[in-house]
Amino acid sequence: RQVWAQSLAQAWMAYQESLSAYNALMLKASQDAFVRLQDKLAGLEKSGQKIETLRAVYDLWVDAQEDAYADVALSADFRAAYGELVNRQMRVRKLVQDEIERVSTQ
């Protein structure tokens, strides 16, 4: 039981580390999206175009967010971080599931 608890604690800490790395990439995408939105708005201003509706602002924001996310999601850093996150999450899940099965059979 103590060995299981130690294994779970280690697996949980590793998972949290991976989650932090993944979240850092998502933050990077969000920050990049904000810069892209500013650039899109500046481009509209330079061309003399005006935004007439909130929907138009929303559409610009979605375009900026999708572009920024795509850049991050297609990167090698993202593949590595996401793969590690899922692997570590599954390790935690397996340890918990094994304990549930052990307790259930007793």
Side-chain angles (χ1 to χ4, degrees):
R1 173 100 176 119
Q2 182 179 358
V3 171
W4 171 82
Q6 289 174 341
S7 295
L8 180 60
Q10 290 171 348
W12 183 256
M13 289 172 53
Y15 167 72
Q16 290 298 318
E17 180 183 300
S18 295
L19 184 59
S20 292
Y22 174 82
N23 286 337
L25 288 171
M26 292 299 96
L27 177 61
K28 178 182 174 187
S30 293
Q31 290 169 334
D32 186 37
F34 184 72
V35 170
R36 289 171 189 244
L37 177 62
Q38 287 176 318
D39 292 345
K40 287 177 184 286
L41 291 170
L44 288 175
E45 184 178 6
K46 280 185 181 180
S47 69
Q49 294 177 320
K50 293 184 180 182
I51 295 179
E52 302 290 334
T53 65
L54 286 176
R55 178 62 189 209
V57 174
Y58 175 77
D59 289 343
L60 282 176
W61 170 246
V62 169
D63 288 345
Q65 190 68 42
E66 286 177 347
D67 291 345
Y69 177 76
D71 283 350
V72 169
L74 295 174
S75 71
D77 288 344
F78 181 84
R79 285 192 302 273
Y82 189 71
E84 186 176 86
L85 174 67
V86 171
N87 288 339
R88 288 179 172 182
Q89 183 181 36
M90 290 301 104
R91 175 74 178 136
V92 169
R93 183 173 182 235
K94 183 181 181 340
L95 286 167
V96 170
Q97 185 175 354
D98 289 349
E99 183 64 7
I100 289 170
E101 289 176 10
R102 186 190 69 79
V103 169
S104 297
T105 59
Q106 288 184 347

XYZ file of all heavy atoms in Angstrom:
851
model
N 0.832 -1.202 0.000
C 0.000 0.000 0.000
C 0.874 1.263 0.000
O 0.579 2.217 -0.700
C -0.915 -0.046 1.240
C -1.696 1.183 1.470
C -3.117 1.030 0.981
N -3.879 2.220 1.312
C -4.424 2.977 0.400
N -4.325 2.694 -0.850
N -5.103 4.025 0.734
N 1.922 1.260 0.804
C 2.820 2.422 0.853
C 3.547 2.601 -0.478
O 3.730 3.720 -0.948
C 3.818 2.291 1.993
C 4.737 3.493 2.114
C 5.713 3.375 3.268
O 5.689 2.408 4.014
N 6.576 4.359 3.401
N 3.943 1.500 -1.085
C 4.621 1.559 -2.383
C 3.676 2.155 -3.415
O 4.069 3.001 -4.230
C 5.100 0.151 -2.817
C 5.595 0.159 -4.248
C 6.177 -0.357 -1.871
N 2.407 1.730 -3.383
C 1.412 2.275 -4.306
C 1.246 3.779 -4.088
O 1.221 4.549 -5.046
C 0.060 1.577 -4.128
C -1.019 2.250 -4.906
C -1.289 2.078 -6.232
C -1.923 3.238 -4.435
N -2.322 2.904 -6.617
C -2.734 3.623 -5.524
C -2.153 3.839 -3.201
C -3.737 4.575 -5.416
C -3.159 4.784 -3.087
C -3.931 5.144 -4.193
N 1.140 4.202 -2.822
C 0.955 5.624 -2.520
C 2.148 6.446 -3.006
O 1.974 7.540 -3.556
C 0.735 5.824 -1.022
N 3.339 5.921 -2.834
C 4.528 6.626 -3.313
C 4.544 6.687 -4.842
O 4.885 7.715 -5.422
C 5.795 5.940 -2.790
C 6.022 6.137 -1.306
C 7.194 5.320 -0.782
O 7.626 4.352 -1.410
N 7.688 5.704 0.386
N 4.176 5.593 -5.466
C 4.123 5.578 -6.933
C 3.097 6.570 -7.451
O 3.345 7.286 -8.422
C 3.785 4.172 -7.445
O 4.797 3.265 -7.124
N 1.944 6.608 -6.791
C 0.901 7.549 -7.195
C 1.362 8.990 -6.997
O 1.149 9.836 -7.865
C -0.393 7.292 -6.429
C -1.550 8.221 -6.779
C -1.931 8.108 -8.256
C -2.752 7.933 -5.889
N 1.998 9.278 -5.891
C 2.483 10.636 -5.630
C 3.514 11.059 -6.687
O 3.460 12.187 -7.198
C 3.082 10.725 -4.232
N 4.410 10.166 -7.015
C 5.408 10.472 -8.041
C 4.760 10.674 -9.408
O 5.116 11.596 -10.141
C 6.457 9.360 -8.111
C 7.364 9.316 -6.909
C 8.253 8.075 -6.900
O 8.046 7.132 -7.661
N 9.241 8.074 -6.010
N 3.812 9.808 -9.724
C 3.121 9.922 -11.005
C 2.320 11.226 -11.067
O 2.278 11.888 -12.103
C 2.204 8.715 -11.219
N 1.682 11.577 -9.956
C 0.895 12.817 -9.914
C 1.794 14.038 -10.081
O 1.452 14.975 -10.808
C 0.110 12.905 -8.615
C -0.762 14.109 -8.563
C -0.537 15.259 -7.854
C -1.988 14.323 -9.271
N -1.550 16.160 -8.073
C -2.456 15.606 -8.942
C -2.731 13.544 -10.149
C -3.622 16.136 -9.476
C -3.903 14.074 -10.670
C -4.333 15.356 -10.332
N 2.940 14.035 -9.441
C 3.867 15.162 -9.568
C 4.388 15.275 -11.000
O 4.495 16.381 -11.546
C 5.014 15.013 -8.570
C 4.569 15.252 -7.133
S 5.820 14.871 -5.888
C 7.211 15.799 -6.444
N 4.674 14.148 -11.622
C 5.139 14.156 -13.012
C 4.031 14.676 -13.923
O 4.287 15.457 -14.849
C 5.575 12.754 -13.429
N 2.803 14.257 -13.654
C 1.665 14.735 -14.441
C 1.508 16.247 -14.292
O 1.306 16.957 -15.288
C 0.385 14.012 -14.007
C -0.869 14.663 -14.532
C -1.200 14.581 -15.879
C -1.700 15.380 -13.685
C -2.341 15.192 -16.371
C -2.839 15.994 -14.167
C -3.158 15.895 -15.506
O -4.287 16.523 -15.985
N 1.610 16.754 -13.092
C 1.484 18.197 -12.855
C 2.579 18.974 -13.578
O 2.345 20.059 -14.109
C 1.505 18.501 -11.348
C 0.266 18.045 -10.609
C -0.986 18.738 -11.093
O -1.002 19.938 -11.333
N -2.042 17.970 -11.269
N 3.776 18.403 -13.609
C 4.888 19.026 -14.340
C 4.568 19.111 -15.838
O 4.766 20.148 -16.474
C 6.152 18.210 -14.108
C 7.380 18.727 -14.799
C 8.567 17.802 -14.558
O 8.941 17.619 -13.392
O 9.094 17.278 -15.555
N 4.042 18.038 -16.380
C 3.661 18.017 -17.801
C 2.509 18.965 -18.078
O 2.481 19.623 -19.127
C 3.268 16.600 -18.224
O 4.370 15.744 -18.141
N 1.567 19.032 -17.157
C 0.438 19.939 -17.322
C 0.911 21.390 -17.336
O 0.420 22.205 -18.125
C -0.587 19.717 -16.206
C -1.881 20.515 -16.281
C -2.633 20.240 -17.577
C -2.751 20.203 -15.062
N 1.873 21.704 -16.512
C 2.434 23.061 -16.498
C 3.096 23.399 -17.834
O 2.930 24.503 -18.353
C 3.446 23.217 -15.368
O 2.800 23.163 -14.123
N 3.829 22.450 -18.395
C 4.477 22.680 -19.685
C 3.435 22.875 -20.781
O 3.566 23.764 -21.635
C 5.405 21.508 -20.022
N 2.391 22.064 -20.756
C 1.304 22.183 -21.733
C 0.599 23.535 -21.587
O 0.356 24.227 -22.568
C 0.314 21.035 -21.545
C -0.910 21.146 -22.408
C -0.892 20.728 -23.730
C -2.096 21.671 -21.896
C -2.023 20.828 -24.529
C -3.222 21.782 -22.687
C -3.179 21.356 -24.004
O -4.298 21.473 -24.785
N 0.303 23.904 -20.351
C -0.358 25.188 -20.106
C 0.501 26.368 -20.538
O -0.022 27.380 -21.004
C -0.764 25.322 -18.641
C -1.967 24.468 -18.293
O -2.762 24.111 -19.163
N -2.098 24.116 -17.033
N 1.804 26.239 -20.410
C 2.701 27.305 -20.862
C 2.599 27.483 -22.377
O 2.602 28.620 -22.876
C 4.144 26.992 -20.454
N 2.467 26.393 -23.099
C 2.299 26.488 -24.550
C 0.956 27.113 -24.910
O 0.861 27.903 -25.858
C 2.434 25.111 -25.195
C 3.845 24.542 -25.232
C 3.833 23.085 -25.681
C 4.739 25.369 -26.135
N -0.079 26.777 -24.151
C -1.399 27.375 -24.408
C -1.387 28.875 -24.091
O -2.000 29.678 -24.804
C -2.479 26.682 -23.572
C -2.752 25.244 -23.981
S -3.344 25.071 -25.680
C -1.847 24.698 -26.563
N -0.655 29.261 -23.054
C -0.504 30.676 -22.737
C 0.227 31.396 -23.860
O -0.160 32.499 -24.262
C 0.240 30.856 -21.412
C 0.533 32.299 -20.999
C -0.761 33.093 -20.824
C 1.364 32.324 -19.729
N 1.251 30.756 -24.382
C 1.997 31.334 -25.504
C 1.069 31.559 -26.692
O 1.117 32.612 -27.343
C 3.148 30.403 -25.889
C 3.967 30.869 -27.058
C 5.058 29.855 -27.394
C 5.781 30.267 -28.653
N 6.729 29.261 -29.108
N 0.208 30.584 -26.984
C -0.741 30.727 -28.092
C -1.704 31.881 -27.830
O -2.003 32.663 -28.741
C -1.511 29.426 -28.303
N -2.179 32.009 -26.610
C -3.107 33.094 -26.277
C -2.443 34.464 -26.400
O -3.050 35.409 -26.904
C -3.654 32.915 -24.859
O -4.478 31.780 -24.804
N -1.213 34.548 -25.938
C -0.496 35.812 -26.053
C -0.236 36.158 -27.512
O -0.381 37.311 -27.924
C 0.822 35.736 -25.269
C 0.618 35.705 -23.778
C 1.889 35.358 -23.010
O 2.789 34.695 -23.520
N 1.945 35.808 -21.766
N 0.124 35.175 -28.293
C 0.352 35.392 -29.718
C -0.947 35.801 -30.405
O -0.945 36.657 -31.287
C 0.928 34.134 -30.354
C 1.312 34.337 -31.805
O 1.800 35.443 -32.152
O 1.129 33.400 -32.607
N -2.055 35.210 -29.989
C -3.355 35.560 -30.579
C -3.690 37.023 -30.312
O -4.234 37.715 -31.183
C -4.448 34.661 -30.021
N -3.362 37.508 -29.140
C -3.620 38.908 -28.818
C -2.811 39.826 -29.725
O -3.332 40.813 -30.251
C -3.309 39.180 -27.346
C -3.633 40.574 -26.917
C -4.952 40.981 -26.774
C -2.629 41.490 -26.668
C -5.263 42.272 -26.389
C -2.930 42.784 -26.285
C -4.248 43.178 -26.146
N -1.551 39.486 -29.948
C -0.697 40.269 -30.855
C -1.269 40.233 -32.267
O -1.331 41.258 -32.965
C 0.760 39.749 -30.817
C 1.595 40.381 -31.919
C 1.375 39.999 -29.450
N -1.700 39.054 -32.691
C -2.275 38.921 -34.030
C -3.560 39.745 -34.169
O -3.804 40.351 -35.213
C -2.555 37.456 -34.345
C -1.305 36.654 -34.574
C -1.628 35.170 -34.676
N -0.426 34.378 -34.693
C -0.041 33.623 -35.708
N -0.755 33.555 -36.804
N 1.067 32.926 -35.628
N -4.368 39.764 -33.119
C -5.591 40.567 -33.153
C -5.241 42.043 -33.276
O -5.850 42.767 -34.068
C -6.447 40.317 -31.914
C -7.720 41.157 -31.807
C -8.667 40.872 -32.961
C -8.401 40.916 -30.464
N -4.264 42.482 -32.522
C -3.831 43.880 -32.616
C -3.361 44.191 -34.036
O -3.688 45.251 -34.581
C -2.703 44.163 -31.623
C -3.165 44.223 -30.190
C -2.003 44.411 -29.225
O -0.940 43.806 -29.368
N -2.213 45.259 -28.239
N -2.618 43.283 -34.628
C -2.135 43.483 -36.004
C -3.296 43.553 -36.997
O -3.294 44.379 -37.917
C -1.166 42.371 -36.410
C 0.148 42.417 -35.651
O 0.444 43.463 -35.015
O 0.880 41.400 -35.670
N -4.278 42.690 -36.809
C -5.444 42.695 -37.695
C -6.210 44.014 -37.562
O -6.637 44.594 -38.561
C -6.362 41.513 -37.385
C -5.822 40.174 -37.841
C -6.761 39.040 -37.417
C -6.210 37.690 -37.781
N -6.281 37.368 -39.197
N -6.371 44.475 -36.345
C -7.073 45.743 -36.125
C -6.296 46.909 -36.720
O -6.881 47.814 -37.328
C -7.325 45.961 -34.628
C -8.343 45.019 -33.981
C -8.322 45.186 -32.468
C -9.734 45.258 -34.544
N -4.980 46.885 -36.552
C -4.148 47.946 -37.126
C -4.233 47.924 -38.650
O -4.282 48.984 -39.293
C -2.698 47.785 -36.666
N -4.259 46.743 -39.230
C -4.387 46.624 -40.681
C -5.704 47.180 -41.188
O -5.752 47.851 -42.223
N -6.769 46.920 -40.455
C -8.071 47.483 -40.828
C -8.056 49.002 -40.748
O -8.585 49.690 -41.623
C -9.178 46.922 -39.930
C -9.572 45.472 -40.148
C -10.596 45.038 -39.107
C -10.120 45.254 -41.556
N -7.429 49.514 -39.702
C -7.363 50.967 -39.515
C -6.571 51.620 -40.651
O -6.978 52.638 -41.198
C -6.736 51.299 -38.161
C -6.727 52.772 -37.845
C -6.134 53.072 -36.482
O -5.623 52.148 -35.811
O -6.167 54.250 -36.083
N -5.457 51.004 -41.014
C -4.629 51.547 -42.095
C -5.361 51.561 -43.427
O -5.182 52.461 -44.237
C -3.333 50.747 -42.237
C -2.272 51.110 -41.251
C -0.987 50.350 -41.533
C 0.068 50.722 -40.510
N 1.325 50.005 -40.767
N -6.169 50.526 -43.632
C -6.881 50.441 -44.907
C -8.167 51.272 -44.906
O -8.847 51.354 -45.921
C -7.207 48.981 -45.237
O -8.175 48.483 -44.333
N -8.472 51.869 -43.768
C -9.663 52.706 -43.679
C -10.946 51.944 -43.427
O -12.028 52.540 -43.401
N -10.838 50.653 -43.234
C -12.030 49.858 -42.943
C -12.441 50.042 -41.492
O -11.605 50.289 -40.625
C -11.774 48.374 -43.217
C -11.530 48.059 -44.668
C -11.221 46.580 -44.862
O -10.506 45.988 -44.067
N -11.747 46.008 -45.933
N -13.737 49.922 -41.252
C -14.250 50.064 -39.896
C -14.968 48.781 -39.486
O -15.558 48.096 -40.316
C -15.227 51.233 -39.823
C -14.574 52.569 -40.036
C -15.562 53.687 -39.852
C -14.847 55.019 -40.083
N -15.730 56.141 -39.867
N -14.881 48.519 -38.221
C -15.622 47.386 -37.674
C -16.990 47.916 -37.269
O -17.100 48.837 -36.467
C -14.884 46.776 -36.469
C -13.563 46.188 -36.942
C -15.742 45.729 -35.795
C -12.724 45.572 -35.859
N -18.007 47.295 -37.826
C -19.369 47.782 -37.620
C -20.118 47.046 -36.522
O -21.076 47.572 -35.970
C -20.161 47.665 -38.936
C -19.549 48.428 -40.100
C -19.647 49.939 -39.955
O -20.559 50.417 -39.270
O -18.785 50.635 -40.530
N -19.693 45.807 -36.219
C -20.449 45.007 -35.251
C -19.512 44.294 -34.285
O -18.317 44.122 -34.558
C -21.291 43.934 -35.964
O -20.402 43.009 -36.607
C -22.244 44.548 -36.997
N -20.091 43.860 -33.177
C -19.330 43.036 -32.241
C -18.993 41.688 -32.872
O -17.954 41.102 -32.582
C -20.117 42.820 -30.952
C -20.197 44.023 -30.018
C -21.075 43.707 -28.819
C -18.806 44.428 -29.547
N -19.874 41.240 -33.734
C -19.627 39.973 -34.431
C -18.343 40.056 -35.257
O -17.562 39.109 -35.326
C -20.825 39.625 -35.329
C -20.670 38.369 -36.140
C -20.508 37.182 -35.233
N -20.155 36.008 -35.976
C -20.463 34.799 -35.615
N -21.146 34.597 -34.507
N -20.096 33.779 -36.330
N -18.099 41.195 -35.872
C -16.885 41.384 -36.675
C -15.640 41.328 -35.786
O -14.623 40.741 -36.166
C -16.949 42.694 -37.439
N -15.724 41.920 -34.597
C -14.600 41.857 -33.649
C -14.387 40.407 -33.216
O -13.252 39.920 -33.167
C -14.859 42.753 -32.416
C -13.766 42.568 -31.376
C -14.964 44.197 -32.821
N -15.484 39.738 -32.924
C -15.413 38.328 -32.520
C -14.774 37.480 -33.619
O -13.903 36.642 -33.343
C -16.814 37.810 -32.187
C -16.851 36.340 -31.885
C -16.420 35.847 -30.654
C -17.303 35.424 -32.831
C -16.446 34.496 -30.368
C -17.327 34.062 -32.558
C -16.903 33.605 -31.331
O -16.925 32.268 -31.060
N -15.195 37.693 -34.854
C -14.631 36.939 -35.973
C -13.132 37.172 -36.116
O -12.365 36.232 -36.371
C -15.346 37.288 -37.279
C -16.767 36.740 -37.334
O -17.103 35.839 -36.537
O -17.537 37.225 -38.187
N -12.689 38.413 -35.926
C -11.249 38.712 -35.977
C -10.512 37.976 -34.851
O -9.419 37.433 -35.060
C -11.003 40.214 -35.852
C -11.236 41.056 -37.099
C -11.046 42.537 -36.761
C -10.299 40.649 -38.218
N -11.124 37.992 -33.673
C -10.508 37.325 -32.523
C -10.396 35.820 -32.783
O -9.357 35.207 -32.522
C -11.291 37.598 -31.251
C -10.835 36.760 -30.100
C -11.524 35.790 -29.453
C -9.548 36.794 -29.462
N -10.753 35.221 -28.473
C -9.544 35.826 -28.456
C -8.401 37.564 -29.667
C -8.436 35.597 -27.645
C -7.292 37.330 -28.853
C -7.317 36.361 -27.856
N -11.444 35.219 -33.294
C -11.421 33.786 -33.573
C -10.345 33.471 -34.609
O -9.579 32.510 -34.444
C -12.811 33.289 -34.030
C -12.743 31.867 -34.585
C -13.806 33.362 -32.877
N -10.262 34.258 -35.655
C -9.222 34.038 -36.669
C -7.825 34.130 -36.054
O -6.960 33.294 -36.333
C -9.348 35.060 -37.799
C -10.549 34.805 -38.687
O -11.137 33.705 -38.630
O -10.901 35.727 -39.451
N -7.612 35.134 -35.230
C -6.306 35.320 -34.595
C -5.991 34.142 -33.672
O -4.861 33.621 -33.673
C -6.273 36.630 -33.815
N -6.978 33.705 -32.900
C -6.775 32.595 -31.964
C -6.507 31.290 -32.714
O -5.615 30.531 -32.337
C -8.003 32.447 -31.061
C -7.814 31.494 -29.911
C -6.827 32.000 -28.883
O -6.817 33.169 -28.529
N -5.994 31.121 -28.379
N -7.259 31.044 -33.767
C -7.045 29.818 -34.537
C -5.664 29.788 -35.181
O -4.997 28.752 -35.188
C -8.132 29.672 -35.610
C -9.475 29.276 -35.046
C -10.567 29.212 -36.096
O -10.361 29.709 -37.232
O -11.641 28.673 -35.783
N -5.244 30.918 -35.723
C -3.916 30.975 -36.340
C -2.811 30.743 -35.306
O -1.857 29.994 -35.558
C -3.699 32.328 -37.028
C -4.578 32.515 -38.256
O -5.155 31.520 -38.753
O -4.710 33.677 -38.709
N -2.943 31.382 -34.166
C -1.930 31.231 -33.120
C -1.899 29.805 -32.582
O -0.826 29.224 -32.382
C -2.195 32.230 -31.993
N -3.080 29.227 -32.360
C -3.143 27.856 -31.864
C -2.552 26.891 -32.883
O -1.817 25.964 -32.520
C -4.578 27.456 -31.522
C -4.672 26.021 -31.077
C -4.270 25.641 -29.799
C -5.124 25.031 -31.942
C -4.323 24.314 -29.389
C -5.179 23.704 -31.542
C -4.785 23.353 -30.268
O -4.828 22.037 -29.875
N -2.858 27.105 -34.156
C -2.333 26.221 -35.202
C -0.806 26.238 -35.207
O -0.166 25.181 -35.337
C -2.868 26.633 -36.567
N -0.222 27.417 -35.059
C 1.244 27.498 -35.026
C 1.818 26.693 -33.862
O 2.824 26.005 -34.008
C 1.705 28.953 -34.935
C 1.599 29.685 -36.260
O 1.341 29.025 -37.297
O 1.764 30.915 -36.266
N 1.177 26.791 -32.702
C 1.663 26.054 -31.537
C 1.378 24.565 -31.692
O 2.244 23.721 -31.466
C 1.026 26.604 -30.235
C 1.308 25.686 -29.052
C 1.551 27.996 -29.938
N 0.156 24.226 -32.107
C -0.256 22.816 -32.179
C 0.537 22.019 -33.205
O 0.672 20.798 -33.059
C -1.744 22.735 -32.483
N 1.061 22.673 -34.213
C 1.827 21.965 -35.237
C 3.328 21.914 -34.932
O 4.099 21.376 -35.719
C 1.586 22.614 -36.598
C 0.141 22.512 -37.110
C -0.024 23.324 -38.394
C -0.274 21.073 -37.301
N 3.720 22.443 -33.776
C 5.136 22.485 -33.433
C 5.599 21.185 -32.767
O 4.813 20.439 -32.182
C 5.419 23.664 -32.485
O 4.872 23.405 -31.204
N 6.874 20.944 -32.862
C 7.473 19.773 -32.209
C 7.355 19.882 -30.695
O 7.154 18.874 -30.004
C 8.937 19.634 -32.626
N 7.473 21.102 -30.163
C 7.339 21.303 -28.715
C 5.961 20.864 -28.233
O 5.836 20.232 -27.186
C 7.562 22.772 -28.342
C 9.014 23.192 -28.461
O 9.891 22.310 -28.536
O 9.264 24.408 -28.476
N 4.936 21.210 -28.995
C 3.581 20.842 -28.603
C 3.401 19.328 -28.654
O 2.831 18.728 -27.739
C 2.540 21.520 -29.499
C 1.128 21.179 -29.113
C 0.481 21.874 -28.121
C 0.456 20.153 -29.754
C -0.815 21.559 -27.754
C -0.839 19.824 -29.406
C -1.488 20.535 -28.398
N 3.873 18.705 -29.714
C 3.737 17.247 -29.826
C 4.389 16.559 -28.638
O 3.828 15.633 -28.042
C 4.333 16.750 -31.135
C 3.475 17.046 -32.343
C 3.949 16.296 -33.581
N 5.335 16.572 -33.952
C 5.709 17.584 -34.730
N 4.819 18.413 -35.210
N 6.983 17.752 -35.023
N 5.572 17.018 -28.291
C 6.277 16.406 -27.160
C 5.546 16.662 -25.845
O 5.355 15.744 -25.044
C 7.701 16.949 -27.091
N 5.123 17.902 -25.630
C 4.454 18.250 -24.379
C 3.116 17.530 -24.245
O 2.785 17.004 -23.177
C 4.247 19.764 -24.289
N 2.344 17.489 -25.329
C 1.037 16.847 -25.269
C 1.176 15.330 -25.105
O 0.460 14.718 -24.311
C 0.220 17.184 -26.520
C -1.209 16.724 -26.414
C -2.097 17.353 -25.561
C -1.657 15.637 -27.157
C -3.409 16.923 -25.449
C -2.964 15.206 -27.058
C -3.841 15.845 -26.202
O -5.132 15.420 -26.088
N 2.104 14.746 -25.818
C 2.337 13.313 -25.674
C 2.742 12.941 -24.264
O 2.242 11.966 -23.686
N 3.644 13.719 -23.699
C 4.093 13.464 -22.327
C 2.941 13.655 -21.341
O 2.778 12.870 -20.400
C 5.254 14.397 -21.982
C 5.873 14.112 -20.635
C 7.081 14.999 -20.398
O 6.901 16.132 -19.914
O 8.194 14.545 -20.719
N 2.131 14.680 -21.561
C 0.986 14.934 -20.682
C 0.029 13.745 -20.688
O -0.380 13.255 -19.629
C 0.260 16.203 -21.128
C -1.043 16.531 -20.392
C -0.770 16.883 -18.941
C -1.769 17.665 -21.095
N -0.314 13.265 -21.857
C -1.257 12.150 -21.959
C -0.657 10.884 -21.358
O -1.337 10.152 -20.615
C -1.679 11.928 -23.421
C -2.489 10.647 -23.577
C -2.489 13.119 -23.919
N 0.598 10.612 -21.636
C 1.236 9.422 -21.069
C 1.242 9.462 -19.545
O 0.931 8.462 -18.891
C 2.670 9.278 -21.590
C 2.717 8.855 -23.038
O 1.764 8.297 -23.570
N 3.829 9.138 -23.696
N 1.569 10.604 -18.990
C 1.609 10.717 -17.533
C 0.203 10.684 -16.927
O 0.004 10.125 -15.846
C 2.364 11.974 -17.129
C 3.857 11.824 -17.390
C 4.639 13.046 -17.040
N 6.071 12.787 -17.141
C 6.999 13.686 -16.858
N 6.660 14.897 -16.466
N 8.276 13.362 -16.975
N -0.742 11.242 -17.622
C -2.128 11.185 -17.151
C -2.612 9.727 -17.126
O -3.282 9.308 -16.179
C -3.010 12.019 -18.065
C -4.454 12.080 -17.631
C -5.286 12.898 -18.602
O -5.056 12.861 -19.817
N -6.224 13.651 -18.078
N -2.266 8.979 -18.137
C -2.673 7.576 -18.189
C -1.975 6.754 -17.102
O -2.546 5.796 -16.570
C -2.379 6.980 -19.568
C -3.275 7.528 -20.673
S -5.038 7.250 -20.382
C -5.572 8.872 -19.886
N -0.759 7.131 -16.759
C -0.049 6.444 -15.667
C -0.786 6.661 -14.350
O -0.992 5.712 -13.584
C 1.396 6.963 -15.578
C 2.181 6.420 -14.415
C 2.587 4.977 -14.629
N 3.387 4.539 -13.487
C 3.232 3.377 -12.894
N 2.377 2.498 -13.348
N 3.970 3.054 -11.865
N -1.199 7.888 -14.080
C -1.966 8.180 -12.866
C -3.271 7.390 -12.885
O -3.654 6.762 -11.892
C -2.245 9.698 -12.721
C -3.258 9.967 -11.624
C -0.948 10.445 -12.461
N -3.937 7.417 -14.008
C -5.224 6.718 -14.139
C -5.062 5.224 -13.878
O -5.875 4.600 -13.191
C -5.792 6.948 -15.527
C -7.145 6.333 -15.722
C -7.730 6.755 -17.060
N -9.048 6.182 -17.192
C -9.427 5.438 -18.206
N -8.606 5.220 -19.207
N -10.637 4.951 -18.254
N -4.005 4.639 -14.421
C -3.773 3.207 -14.216
C -3.519 2.894 -12.750
O -4.051 1.908 -12.220
C -2.611 2.717 -15.063
C -2.403 1.214 -14.914
C -1.246 0.708 -15.715
C -1.015 -0.783 -15.617
N -1.566 -1.517 -14.515
N -2.721 3.703 -12.092
C -2.447 3.455 -10.675
C -3.722 3.544 -9.843
O -3.947 2.720 -8.958
C -1.393 4.443 -10.162
C 0.030 4.176 -10.628
C 0.923 5.375 -10.341
C 0.577 2.915 -9.968
N -4.550 4.526 -10.111
C -5.812 4.673 -9.376
C -6.731 3.501 -9.693
O -7.351 2.915 -8.789
C -6.481 6.029 -9.700
C -7.889 6.084 -9.134
C -5.634 7.172 -9.156
N -6.817 3.133 -10.954
C -7.679 2.019 -11.359
C -7.212 0.713 -10.710
O -8.034 -0.082 -10.239
C -7.680 1.881 -12.869
C -8.639 0.835 -13.384
C -8.687 0.819 -14.908
O -8.088 1.649 -15.569
N -9.409 -0.135 -15.444
N -5.916 0.486 -10.682
C -5.388 -0.720 -10.041
C -5.771 -0.766 -8.573
O -6.144 -1.828 -8.045
C -3.864 -0.784 -10.173
C -3.396 -1.080 -11.588
O -4.235 -1.439 -12.445
O -2.176 -0.921 -11.832
N -5.698 0.363 -7.898
C -6.050 0.404 -6.471
C -7.547 0.177 -6.274
O -7.957 -0.515 -5.335
C -5.619 1.724 -5.841
C -5.881 1.825 -4.359
C -5.096 0.839 -3.498
O -4.220 0.120 -4.003
O -5.376 0.798 -2.279
N -8.354 0.749 -7.134
C -9.802 0.539 -7.038
C -10.123 -0.943 -7.209
O -10.927 -1.515 -6.454
C -10.558 1.399 -8.068
C -10.491 2.858 -7.659
C -12.006 0.949 -8.227
C -10.984 3.826 -8.707
N -9.493 -1.570 -8.172
C -9.714 -2.999 -8.382
C -9.235 -3.839 -7.193
O -9.900 -4.773 -6.782
C -9.023 -3.458 -9.663
C -9.705 -2.940 -10.915
C -8.969 -3.313 -12.190
O -8.030 -4.137 -12.140
O -9.340 -2.763 -13.242
N -8.120 -3.449 -6.621
C -7.586 -4.171 -5.465
C -8.544 -4.063 -4.290
O -8.876 -5.050 -3.640
C -6.208 -3.628 -5.077
C -5.533 -4.457 -3.965
C -4.295 -3.774 -3.436
N -4.582 -2.569 -2.697
C -5.020 -2.526 -1.433
N -5.299 -3.630 -0.781
N -5.232 -1.382 -0.819
N -9.013 -2.859 -4.017
C -9.912 -2.627 -2.886
C -11.256 -3.316 -3.138
O -11.862 -3.870 -2.217
C -10.099 -1.118 -2.642
C -11.216 -0.849 -1.657
C -8.791 -0.507 -2.147
N -11.711 -3.296 -4.370
C -13.002 -3.897 -4.701
C -13.015 -5.402 -4.508
O -14.056 -5.997 -4.181
C -13.376 -3.600 -6.160
O -13.527 -2.221 -6.339
N -11.875 -6.041 -4.708
C -11.821 -7.489 -4.568
C -11.675 -7.930 -3.113
O -11.886 -9.094 -2.810
C -10.663 -8.088 -5.393
O -9.436 -7.521 -4.970
C -10.887 -7.848 -6.884
N -11.361 -7.028 -2.221
C -11.176 -7.391 -0.811
C -12.468 -7.481 -0.070
O -13.432 -6.914 -0.178
C -10.254 -6.411 -0.107
C -8.839 -6.562 -0.542
C -7.882 -5.654 0.211
O -8.293 -4.730 0.906
N -6.608 -5.899 0.049
